[in-house]
Amino acid sequence: MNDELIKIKNDVENFQQKTAGTVVSLYPGIELCYLTFSTDSFSVHHKAMPHIIQINYCKAGQIVWEMKSGNRIYLNPGDFSLHTMKACTDSVLTFPTGIYQGLTVCIDLQEVSDHPPELLKGSNIFETILPEKFCRNDSPVFLAGNEQTERIFSAFFNQPESLKLPYQKIKTMELLLYLCKTELTSSQLLSEYKTGQIRMIREIHDQLTRHMEQRITIEELSRKYLINPTTLKTAFKSIYGTSIAAHIKEHRMEQAAKMLRESEMSIAEIAKAVGYDSQSKFTAAFKTYFKVLPKEYRKKQIKANF
C-alpha cells in the first residue's frame, strides 16, 4: 500500500506541481498521508484497487471531483470523502483556489482484516461496514463535515512532536468508530452539480461582483434565475466555499482597498462604489476586515510607495 501512495505522490511531481506530503504508518494496513498542494489540478493514474479505501479530509482550499456522469462535487474545508482506489482510477482533481491542504487515511482491507487493531477486533468494520456502507459498487461518498468530525480531524494537526503518533493512532480509531455507528442521511451527503447549475451560479457570482455598488437580494436573484433561494445559497457555498454574503463582502473590501491605493476618490465615494450607503458603516466594515481604518490604510500605502 505504501508503494501506491508514493506512486500517487510521484504522479503529482510528474506534473511539475509543488507538493508536500508525509506518510505515516499507523497499523498494519492503515496509513496516514498529510498532503499540501499548490496547483490548479493534477491527474492520478494507478491500477484499480477495490480492496483499498481512502478517506480524504479537506482542511484548507477546495477540491473539485468530476464524476463519470460529468457532474461535479465540491469538497470545502471540513468536508470529507470515502472511496476505493478503483473509483479514482485515472481521475482528474481540480483545485479552484490554487491550494489544498488535507489528509488521507489509506486502508488496505485485505491486510487490516488479517491483522486488525486490537480495539477493532470482531467489529466487522473492515469486512463489511466500510465497503458496504460507504463504498458499495465502488461508488464514492462525499460527506459534509460537522462538529464531531471536525473535532476528530482537527486533532490530526498541530500536536506536539512527541505526541503526534499517539494522537494519529487514537484519532484514526475514533474516526473509524464514528463511521461505524453513523447512519448515512441525505442531509449529510454533499450535492452533485450539473454543468448548467454551475454555469448559473457563476453567472450570479459575476453579476454580484460586477455590480458591487448595488445591494442585490437573494430573493431578487432567485426570481431572476428561477432557482429556489435555499438551493441558491447551498450551491453558491459549495462552489465558492463561503456564503454569498461573506464572499461578496470580501470582494467589496478588496475592491475598496484597491481604490484607496490607486485612486483619489474620497472615502465616501469609495463606500458608495462598493455598496455602502453610509460612510460610517463602510469604515466599520473595512476596519473589521483589514484591522485599520480606510484613511490610515491609504496613508500607509502612500508612505510605502515613497
Side-chain angles (χ1 to χ4, degrees):
M1 180 175 66
N2 189 51
D3 290 341
E4 291 299 333
L5 285 177
I6 292 172
K7 185 179 185 306
I8 292 171
K9 289 160 63 182
N10 287 339
D11 287 338
V12 179
E13 293 171 3
N14 290 337
F15 280 79
Q16 300 180 339
Q17 297 158 350
K18 298 177 182 178
T19 305
T22 304
V23 179
V24 182
S25 295
L26 300 178
Y27 303 94
I30 302 179
E31 291 181 344
L32 171 67
C33 184
Y34 292 95
L35 296 172
T36 301
F37 301 141
S38 179
T39 184
D40 295 325
S41 67
F42 74 85
S43 300
V44 178
H45 303 283
H46 55 74
K47 62 183 180 181
M49 292 175 288
H51 64 287
I52 294 180
I53 288 178
Q54 289 186 337
I55 304 171
N56 302 294
Y57 165 75
C58 176
K59 184 176 189 292
Q62 186 186 58
I63 299 181
V64 181
W65 179 297
E66 187 166 340
M67 310 295 287
K68 292 179 181 179
S69 64
N71 295 349
R72 294 181 179 181
I73 293 182
Y74 294 77
L75 255 68
N76 289 297
D79 297 336
F80 61 106
S81 65
L82 291 89
H83 63 82
T84 69
M85 288 186 69
K86 181 179 179 181
C88 62
T89 303
D90 296 327
S91 60
V92 177
L93 301 178
T94 57
F95 305 88
T97 64
I99 61 167
Y100 172 74
Q101 183 183 11
L103 62 80
T104 296
V105 177
C106 205
I107 303 170
D108 185 326
L109 296 175
Q110 294 175 351
E111 185 176 355
V112 77
S113 294
D114 291 337
H115 308 283
E118 186 65 33
L119 290 175
L120 298 179
K121 285 184 177 179
S123 66
N124 291 323
I125 187 170
F126 304 113
E127 293 82 1
T128 58
I129 297 175
L130 282 181
E132 293 184 8
K133 183 191 291 188
F134 297 99
C135 302
R136 186 181 295 275
N137 300 322
D138 294 307
S139 297
V141 171
F142 300 86
L143 298 166
N146 55 51
E147 290 184 8
Q148 187 172 354
T149 59
E150 189 57 28
R151 282 196 299 269
I152 295 171
F153 283 116
S154 63
F156 281 96
F157 299 88
N158 302 320
Q159 297 296 349
E161 191 65 35
S162 61
L163 298 177
K164 275 187 178 180
L165 186 58
Y167 265 101
Q168 291 162 346
K169 288 187 172 185
I170 290 171
K171 289 301 171 178
T172 297
M173 289 296 99
E174 187 177 354
L175 174 61
L176 291 171
L177 290 170
Y178 169 83
L179 294 173
C180 188
K181 72 176 184 179
T182 192
E183 294 296 330
L184 287 180
T185 63
S186 57
S187 63
Q188 292 175 294
L189 298 174
L190 298 177
S191 298
E192 293 185 30
Y193 294 100
K194 298 179 181 179
T195 302
Q197 293 173 305
I198 297 169
R199 187 184 303 116
M200 179 192 298
I201 296 301
R202 296 202 185 283
E203 287 179 10
I204 291 171
H205 172 271
D206 290 346
Q207 178 179 347
L208 292 171
T209 54
R210 280 198 307 266
H211 301 286
M212 285 186 286
E213 76 282 2
Q214 301 177 11
R215 289 283 177 169
I216 306 172
T217 67
I218 298 291
E219 289 70 24
E220 288 171 334
L221 291 170
S222 174
R223 288 194 295 270
K224 179 177 180 179
Y225 289 92
L226 303 178
I227 182 173
N228 178 276
T230 300
T231 302
L232 168 57
K233 289 187 286 186
T234 301
F236 191 100
K237 187 172 183 179
S238 294
I239 293 169
Y240 287 99
T242 56
S243 67
I244 294 178
H247 189 80
I248 300 307
K249 182 176 182 179
E250 180 179 351
H251 276 273
R252 285 193 165 103
M253 293 298 101
E254 295 295 341
Q255 180 63 22
K258 182 179 180 181
M259 290 177 174
L260 288 167
R261 293 193 306 269
E262 300 178 3
S263 78
E264 296 182 358
M265 294 171 65
S266 69
I267 292 175
E269 290 172 330
I270 292 173
K272 186 175 181 181
V274 296
Y276 287 85
D277 55 8
S278 163
Q279 181 177 330
S280 61
K281 289 181 180 179
F282 165 72
T283 298
F286 192 94
K287 174 73 181 296
T288 299
Y289 190 83
F290 285 104
K291 310 304 179 187
V292 64
L293 293 170
K295 187 175 181 180
E296 296 170 354
Y297 179 90
R298 174 173 267 171
K299 284 182 179 179
K300 288 182 180 180
Q301 296 300 316
I302 292 173
K303 288 180 180 179
N305 292 329
F306 284 96

